Amino acid sequence: MTRANGAALSAAQKYDLLTALGAWGLSQNRTVQRQVLRLICLITAHYNWQDDRLSVSQAVIAKLWSVDVRTVKRELAAFRERGWLYEKRRSLRGQAAWLGLNLERILADTEESREALGTSAAQRLSKAAPVKEPAAEEKIIAFPQAGDSRWGRIARRLAAQDRALWQAWFAGLTPVCEEGDLILRAPSGFHASYVQTHYLRRLEQLWGGPVRLQA
């Protein structure tokens, strides 16, 4: 799996990316709009494009967002679940964790909003190809060992098609019922909602019938 490297983006592409992110956010519900605004503010204030590093304490983020630390933890977890942020280094004693931006995922998720940016910006973003190879420990994605059940076969097919997508959104799904309708349990309400919105049709096509998500 590769991730687009912020250092490889031109100044214009960086503005285009933030604009696309904002335009996409404005087309979503109020909860997502607020999340996107917070991320844009965090990127603008603290993200190091050259090193692909976001390293700032949760207390500082809380002050920036005018929220409490508990909210910061919840929002950062949501960004990681969405695949927009990933952990480069765990927090050490007295030091904040290092987070990176998965620009490739952000570009893919906001692609539908590029037309609103105009032809020039859309063309610039289309050239923001992934160029960074992640550290070895980030590349290890376990292949699903889900047995020979119907979901197990679908799971292996999803992983073979796109390992990064599998790891981000499908690996955490657990089958609750495989009789008739497929019922999958997600690790959180946000995760269930995101899969429902973006990948339900794909799952139903593979299953050959209705698929339901629950947290």
Side-chain angles (χ1 to χ4, degrees):
M1 180 176 66
T2 58
R3 296 188 177 95
N5 185 353
L9 298 183
S10 68
Q13 285 176 324
K14 293 171 185 176
Y15 282 113
D16 293 336
L17 177 72
L18 293 175
T19 305
L21 188 56
W24 179 86
L26 289 170
S27 69
Q28 306 301 306
N29 60 48
R30 291 186 178 182
T31 297
V32 177
Q33 287 177 5
R34 183 171 58 245
Q35 288 180 330
V36 171
L37 176 60
R38 286 171 174 167
L39 180 60
I40 291 174
C41 188
L42 185 59
I43 293 172
T44 304
H46 296 292
Y47 179 60
N48 185 319
W49 293 93
Q50 187 65 36
D51 295 334
D52 179 32
R53 182 189 301 179
L54 182 62
S55 182
V56 60
S57 72
Q58 293 177 352
V60 171
I61 298 175
K63 186 175 181 180
L64 179 68
W65 289 351
S66 297
V67 298
D68 56 27
V69 172
R70 183 178 180 181
T71 299
V72 171
K73 292 180 179 179
R74 184 181 66 245
E75 294 289 70
L76 292 180
F79 291 137
R80 287 195 295 271
E81 285 190 21
R82 192 179 286 275
W84 288 359
L85 288 180
Y86 67 99
E87 191 174 72
K88 300 184 70 174
R89 191 191 73 178
R90 295 182 181 276
S91 59
L92 304 174
R93 183 175 299 179
Q95 296 182 338
W98 290 3
L99 300 176
L101 281 183
N102 188 344
L103 302 184
E104 184 182 11
R105 175 60 57 79
I106 294 175
L107 287 167
D109 287 352
T110 60
E111 185 175 5
E112 63 193 58
S113 298
R114 291 185 195 174
E115 291 184 5
L117 308 183
T119 303
S120 296
Q123 290 178 344
R124 285 194 296 267
L125 283 179
S126 68
K127 297 177 181 178
V131 297
K132 182 184 179 182
E133 189 70 16
E137 61 271 16
E138 295 177 54
K139 294 189 289 183
I140 300 174
I141 301 175
F143 199 82
Q145 302 295 323
D148 266 339
S149 68
R150 190 173 171 188
W151 167 248
R153 293 191 293 272
I154 291 174
R156 285 191 290 274
R157 184 174 175 181
L158 287 167
Q161 290 173 345
D162 190 328
R163 287 294 187 94
L165 185 63
W166 158 263
Q167 181 71 3
W169 297 111
F170 301 130
L173 301 178
T174 305
V176 176
C177 176
E178 297 186 56
E179 298 293 332
D181 295 358
L182 173 62
I183 302 176
L184 298 170
R185 177 177 291 115
S188 70
F190 171 80
H191 197 117
S193 177
Y194 191 87
V195 173
Q196 181 90 20
T197 300
H198 293 81
Y199 303 115
L200 181 61
R201 185 177 179 182
R202 181 174 184 177
L203 290 174
E204 289 184 334
Q205 287 177 337
L206 291 171
W207 181 254
V211 176
R212 289 187 286 155
L213 279 295
Q214 64 182 38

